[in-house]
Amino acid sequence: MEKLTVLIDKVLTYGKMIRFSHTVFALPFAFSSVVFSSLFYKVTLEKMFWILIAMLGARSSAMGFNRIVDRRIDALNPRTKNRELPTGKISIIEASIFVFFFSALFIYAAYKLNPLCFYLSPVALAVIFFYSFTKRFTWLSHLFLGLSLGLAPVGAWLAIAGRFDLPPIILGFGVLTWIGASDIIYACQDYEFDVKYGLYSIPQKFGIEKALKISSAIHLLTFISFASLKFLLNLGWIYTVGLILIGILLVYQHRIVKPNDLSKVNFAFNNVNSLVSTTYFVFSSLELMF
C-alpha cells in the first residue's frame, strides 16, 4: 500500500511538472480538425486513438523539455521557484528519461498513423523543443509557443488525410494566434523579472499596457481565422453560435486583465482558454452532427 501511495504521488508530481491540465488547450482543436477532415476523408477509431497518443507524447515531451531548459530561470523566479525541478522533487535524470520516453511515444504514434506523419515527427519535435529557448533571444517567443500548439490541428488532419490542405492550416494559424496572444497576457505577471534578468517578451519590450493592446489585436486575428473556416467549409448556424461565444470569451479575457490589476491573469489564461477550446470543439462537432 505504501509503495502504491509513493507511485501515485510520483505520477501526480509528473502531472504537475507538465501542467497536464493544459492539455485541454490543444487537444480539442486537434479533434476539431479531425471533425472537419471527416467532411472529405474517412475517420476511424484507430486513427483517433493514435492521434490521442501522439498528442499525449508531444505535449508531455515538450513540457518536460521546457522544464529542463528553464530550471535555473525557474529557480530564480518567485512565481516558479517551487516547480518540481528547482525543488528537486524530480531530478534532471528523471526528467530527461521522461522526455525521451514521451518523444519516442510520439514518434511511434506518428509511425502508426501514416508515413508522412512519421517522416515529419522529428520536425514537429524540433519545433516544440525550440520554443523553450526563444525567450532568451526574441520577444516573439509567445508566437513560437503558439506555433507549437498550432501544429496540433495540422498534424491531426495529416493523420487522417495523409496530405496538407488549407482548412487545417487556417485552424492552426487560429490556434497559433490564440495561444500567442494569451501567452502575452500570461507573461505580464513576469514583467519585472524579465526586465531584471534580460529575458525577452512583449511585455518586457513594450510595457504591460501596450502588451495587452497587442494581445487584443492578435486575438482579433484568431477570431477572423475561426470565422473564415465557416465560409471555407460552408458551416452553418451551430458553428456560428460557437463562434459568437468564443468571441465573447476572448473579449471577457481582456476585460478582466488590466495594466494596473493582474490578479486575474491565471484565471484568464487557464480557465477562459479551457472554455475557448472546449467550446470550439463542442460546437464544431455539433455542427457536423446536425
Side-chain angles (χ1 to χ4, degrees), residues 47-221:
K47 290 277 189 182
M48 293 182 67
F49 171 76
W50 286 114
I51 289 170
L52 178 62
I53 297 301
M55 287 292 299
L56 175 64
R59 165 69 186 171
S60 300
S61 60
M63 285 300 298
F65 186 80
N66 179 261
R67 292 296 186 257
I68 292 172
V69 171
D70 279 355
R71 65 189 185 280
R72 292 187 177 89
I73 294 174
D74 287 344
L76 295 171
N77 191 336
R79 184 178 64 82
T80 59
K81 65 180 182 181
N82 292 321
R83 283 179 174 172
E84 290 66 32
L85 265 70
T87 58
K89 293 177 182 177
I90 295 176
S91 69
I92 301 297
I93 294 177
E94 288 174 326
S96 299
I97 293 172
F98 179 90
V99 170
F100 178 82
F101 172 80
F102 279 101
S103 296
L105 181 65
F106 169 68
I107 293 173
Y108 180 71
Y111 169 77
K112 296 293 289 184
L113 286 165
N114 59 52
L116 181 59
C117 287
F118 176 61
Y119 297 145
L120 291 177
S121 59
V123 178
L125 282 178
V127 171
I128 61 180
F129 287 170
F130 179 69
Y131 155 70
S132 296
F133 299 102
T134 56
K135 201 171 186 181
R136 291 160 173 80
F137 64 87
T138 176
W139 47 268
L140 294 175
S141 56
H142 317 281
L143 298 183
F144 280 97
L145 176 61
L147 176 62
S148 298
L149 273 72
L151 292 177
V154 177
W157 184 284
L158 290 179
I160 300 298
R163 53 170 285 178
F164 286 97
D165 290 297
L166 184 58
I169 294 174
I170 293 175
L171 182 56
F173 180 76
V175 173
L176 185 161
T177 53
W178 165 58
I179 286 296
S182 297
D183 191 58
I184 293 171
I185 297 174
Y186 191 74
C188 286
Q189 62 188 327
D190 286 334
Y191 167 74
E192 293 181 359
F193 181 83
D194 290 349
V195 170
K196 180 178 180 180
Y197 288 95
L199 296 173
Y200 293 82
S201 69
I202 285 180
Q204 176 267 340
K205 183 173 179 63
F206 298 101
I208 292 176
E209 185 174 357
K210 286 185 178 179
L212 292 176
K213 291 179 180 178
I214 292 171
S215 176
S216 298
I218 297 175
H219 266 153
L220 179 60
L221 294 177

Side-chain angles (χ1 to χ4, degrees), residues 214-236:
I214 292 171
S215 176
S216 298
I218 297 175
H219 266 153
L220 179 60
L221 294 177
T222 302
F223 187 81
I224 292 172
S225 298
F226 294 163
S228 66
L229 284 172
K230 169 181 169 57
F231 302 101
L232 181 63
L233 297 175
N234 195 30
L235 302 174

